[in-house]
Amino acid sequence: MALVLTEEQSMLRDSARGLISDKAPVSHLRQLRDAKDATGFSRELWKAFAEMGFAGLLVPEDFGGSGLGCVEAGVVMEKIGRTLMPSPFLSTAVLAASALSRGGSAAQKSLYLPKISDGSLLAALAVDEGAKHRPLQTSLQAKRSGNGFRLNGAKALVVDGHTADLLIVAGRSAGAAGERDGLTLFLVDPKVKGIATERTVMVDSHNAARVTFDNVEVDADHVLGEVDHGYQLLEGVLNIGRGAVASEMVGLADEVFTRTVNYLKERKQFGKPIGEFQALQHRAAQLYIEVEITRAAVLKALQTLDGDFANAGAAVSVAKARAGSTATLAVQEGVQMHGGMGMTDQFDIGFFMKRARVCQELFGDSNFHADQLARAKGY
């Protein structure tokens, strides 16, 4: 398949660009940060997102969505990356919608997916428990109790967890940490007895949460997928999330490149624009090449998720690893070429550096995915 967008995908890109650039420039994030907004994103803007159909991109048409694919979700995520727009699109429209669509029962889909599509329900995926992304190390205990399970443990870096109306929780119902068998996914109401949620504003002014579970009762109807065999579903959902975050980093890196080139044309030293200095031209050219190669790798991963989902892991790992290193290079070069002022809060470039750092860690950094790829290839 050609590594270009179709006409319909290009129209979606233009539609997303118009809304996001107009309603959520970087100044929108700055305003939310400075006001110490309790939600961390604009619910009014999320409503507009839903009205334009973005919240239901990955929701099947039978449940009020558009029934589109990962490429389309990546198109929107790339535009989000360009303005650093804080929104529950990743947590709700990408991760939760994918988990319910792929693993939910008919009753679960009918209950939750229409609400995700119309923007009335926010959800979050609770997987990681430590400082790094290690889904197989899940140790939150899910012990059988009556007609269901009792959950005990804690989750960290739950993206948008403090505003979620629904938590999708990975728990260990059998086996030991590090084993694939024994993982089960649960649909949990964050307002039930025994759950404590602590909002953690990240360095990039986006939202996450720590969630603790103290003898939380969950009945069998709230199991998502198969008991003890949830790893395959979880890994598939994580791969969709990884592709989405990689797309966001492409948009972020490309925006930093554009801003930096414009600065090189405007900033003068020794009576001429610094963009005329060959050393800076070479660095800018190299960054452009890296961004374009990464864009192709990410689009390939998204196309593979849509066309050959079961075998998309390697392509996703390549995309996420490369997007992480490219975004890191972009923000480092951007800050350096802006000079000392690049480190000040007055310039937006620092916001991009902080967001790149968080995106690098989300769902596995470059080292994690290089290791995943090596293991898959038998090294």
Side-chain angles (χ1 to χ4, degrees), residues 170-183:
R172 185 157 292 282
S173 51
E179 297 179 359
R180 295 194 176 199
D181 291 337
L183 287 179

Side-chain angles (χ1 to χ4, degrees), residues 269-286:
Q269 202 169 46
F270 307 114
K272 61 181 180 179
I274 61 176
E276 293 184 12
F277 300 146
Q278 195 173 57
L280 295 182
Q281 291 176 354
H282 287 172
R283 290 168 65 176
Q286 183 61 43

Side-chain angles (χ1 to χ4, degrees), residues 59-140:
V59 174
E61 294 183 38
D62 292 345
F63 300 100
S66 302
L68 298 177
C70 294
V71 173
E72 287 79 8
V75 165
V76 176
M77 285 296 294
E78 183 175 335
K79 298 310 167 189
I80 287 175
R82 286 185 172 276
T83 70
L84 307 179
M85 171 189 169
S87 85
F89 182 77
L90 174 64
S91 57
T92 298
V94 176
L95 294 170
S98 297
L100 287 161
S101 297
R102 292 182 173 277
S105 64
Q108 290 168 344
K109 292 178 181 179
S110 297
L111 178 60
Y112 296 116
L113 287 177
K115 295 179 181 179
I116 288 178
S117 184
D118 67 20
S120 62
L121 179 119
L122 301 178
L125 180 65
V127 178
D128 290 318
E129 300 174 6
K132 303 291 284 188
H133 178 67
R134 298 290 185 271
L136 283 179
Q137 296 301 317
T138 295
S139 61
L140 182 143

Side-chain angles (χ1 to χ4, degrees), residues 32-66:
L32 290 171
R33 182 202 65 175
D34 293 346
K36 294 181 170 56
D37 186 87
T39 302
F41 65 90
S42 169
R43 290 187 182 273
E44 185 177 323
L45 184 54
W46 179 242
K47 182 179 179 181
F49 237 57
E51 289 173 351
M52 292 189 69
F54 295 144
L57 275 184
L58 298 182
V59 174
E61 294 183 38
D62 292 345
F63 300 100
S66 302

